[in-house]
Amino acid sequence: MPKGKGPQGKRITLKVAKNAVRVAFNGRRRLDLSKMGIATFPKCILELADVEELDLSRNMLRKIPNIIEKFQNLMWLDLHSNQLDELPAAIGTLKNLTYLNLCNNKLTTKGLPEELTLLRNLRTLNLGLNCLESIPTTLGTLRELIELGLFDNSLTLIPKSVKKLPKLERLNVKRNPLPEFEKEDEPIDTVKRIESLYLVEKKDLCNSCLEMCQGERDDLHKLEDATPGPSNSPSFPSLTTPNSTAMDNQEQWRIK
């Protein structure tokens, strides 16, 4: 079996990691180890713990160790499309984080530590495509949140404390068994109904009444011929799928 292959995943050396450091468009240094076949958090990258951005997405990671706390400069952390079922308590020490992508993992409600609420500068949090049955009400303390992705989970309730976050602009809760979405809205009846109907012949109507009836009939015909216009529903692509070109080599996010 070739070295570095097998059930443990690919072995990342410090040299490989150093070559994976890039300068992002915003001037920050990003350590990009996405799509590397990594199954175990590479301890060698602690030598590069001063980077501002870390991308470990689209690997086979099952655990993030507490040594993640060494990355105190991190503002951007992407862990989407791994096999994570829990987060370490040390995630709460990354006080500079503004972006955290945990989409498409196996996170459960128990796997979200209370320390997650210590990330008071967080602006984007993506928890979509996981195994969450509920959301801690304490997430309502993340008062800087602008984007929150909760789609494709098993949520039956969104806490009021989360809904009322003061800066929240984009909340994606699609494809959850939420009661408010189970019953479809009844179609709007655009035709006024009447309790009594009186039939008369044209000759019995005065000119003004005849013109009024003909006008209303024409309006009704126009309404019947009208076709629905395009949907005005907002679209939030950054919370629909992970925030990178994640469809590469993946036919679908999850096979349930």
Side-chain angles (χ1 to χ4, degrees):
M1 182 180 295
K3 186 178 180 180
K5 303 291 184 180
Q8 297 303 313
K10 184 177 180 179
R11 180 172 176 267
I12 299 297
T13 64
L14 181 57
K15 181 179 180 180
V16 170
K18 285 182 176 179
N19 290 333
V21 175
R22 302 284 185 271
V23 177
F25 69 92
N26 52 18
R28 301 174 190 164
R29 291 199 309 146
R30 177 183 297 182
L31 176 53
D32 187 352
L33 295 175
S34 62
K35 296 189 296 184
M36 298 286 283
I38 304 171
T40 304
F41 189 88
K43 293 183 179 180
C44 68
I45 67 174
L46 293 178
E47 298 289 332
L48 304 170
D50 59 340
V51 295
E52 292 88 7
E53 300 188 356
L54 176 59
D55 189 349
L56 288 168
S57 64
R58 291 172 287 178
N59 282 296
M60 299 179 292
L61 293 170
R62 295 182 179 276
K63 182 178 181 181
I64 300 297
N66 277 314
I67 55 175
I68 192 70
E69 65 185 2
K70 300 295 183 181
F71 291 80
Q72 284 299 303
N73 291 337
L74 276 189
M75 301 178 70
W76 190 94
L77 178 58
D78 196 342
L79 297 171
H80 84 257
S81 302
N82 279 284
Q83 302 292 318
L84 304 174
D85 58 10
E86 64 177 356
L87 296 176
I91 196 78
T93 66
L94 306 179
K95 301 297 179 63
N96 291 315
L97 269 188
T98 61
Y99 175 94
L100 179 58
N101 193 347
L102 297 164
C103 178
N104 195 30
N105 278 283
K106 296 181 178 180
L107 291 171
T108 63
T109 303
K110 291 182 179 180
L112 298 181
E114 291 183 9
E115 289 78 4
L116 192 63
T117 62
L118 298 176
L119 303 178
R120 299 300 173 86
N121 290 312
L122 207 58
R123 290 170 172 77
T124 298
L125 175 60
N126 196 342
L127 291 168
L129 277 166
N130 277 287
C131 305
L132 303 175
E133 295 183 350
S134 63
I135 293 296
T137 57
T138 50
L139 282 189
T141 61
L142 300 178
R143 300 180 69 81
E144 296 298 316
L145 268 187
I146 296 173
E147 299 181 313
L148 178 58
L150 299 173
F151 56 93
D152 289 292
N153 279 287
S154 301
L155 303 175
T156 57
L157 177 68
I158 305 298
K160 289 183 179 180
S161 60
V162 173
K163 289 181 179 180
K164 294 183 178 181
L165 281 167
K167 296 185 180 181
L168 193 63
E169 296 178 2
R170 291 177 283 278
L171 174 62
N172 190 340
V173 295
K174 292 182 178 179
R175 294 177 296 280
N176 279 284
L178 294 165
E180 56 260 48
F181 296 120
E182 286 182 359
K183 184 178 180 180
E184 295 184 0
D185 294 335
E186 294 183 3
I188 299 174
D189 190 352
T190 54
V191 180
K192 292 182 179 179
R193 303 299 172 182
I194 57 175
E195 295 181 358
S196 301
L197 178 64
Y198 299 95
L199 300 178
V200 296
E201 296 184 14
K202 278 186 181 181
K203 62 182 180 62
D204 296 324
L205 292 174
C206 64
N207 289 335
S208 59
C209 292
L210 180 59
E211 290 176 1
M212 181 181 68
C213 291
Q214 289 175 335
E216 290 182 355
R217 181 192 59 189
D218 293 340
D219 290 341
L220 180 59
H221 289 164
K222 289 178 183 178
L223 183 62
E224 291 174 346
D225 295 337
T227 56
S231 173
N232 292 323
S233 299
S235 175
F236 309 132
S238 65
L239 291 178
T240 301
T241 56
N243 194 25
S244 61
T245 14
M247 290 304 292
D248 293 349
N249 303 319
Q250 287 188 243
E251 294 182 359
Q252 59 184 22
W253 286 116
R254 170 180 294 153
I255 301 176
K256 292 187 177 180

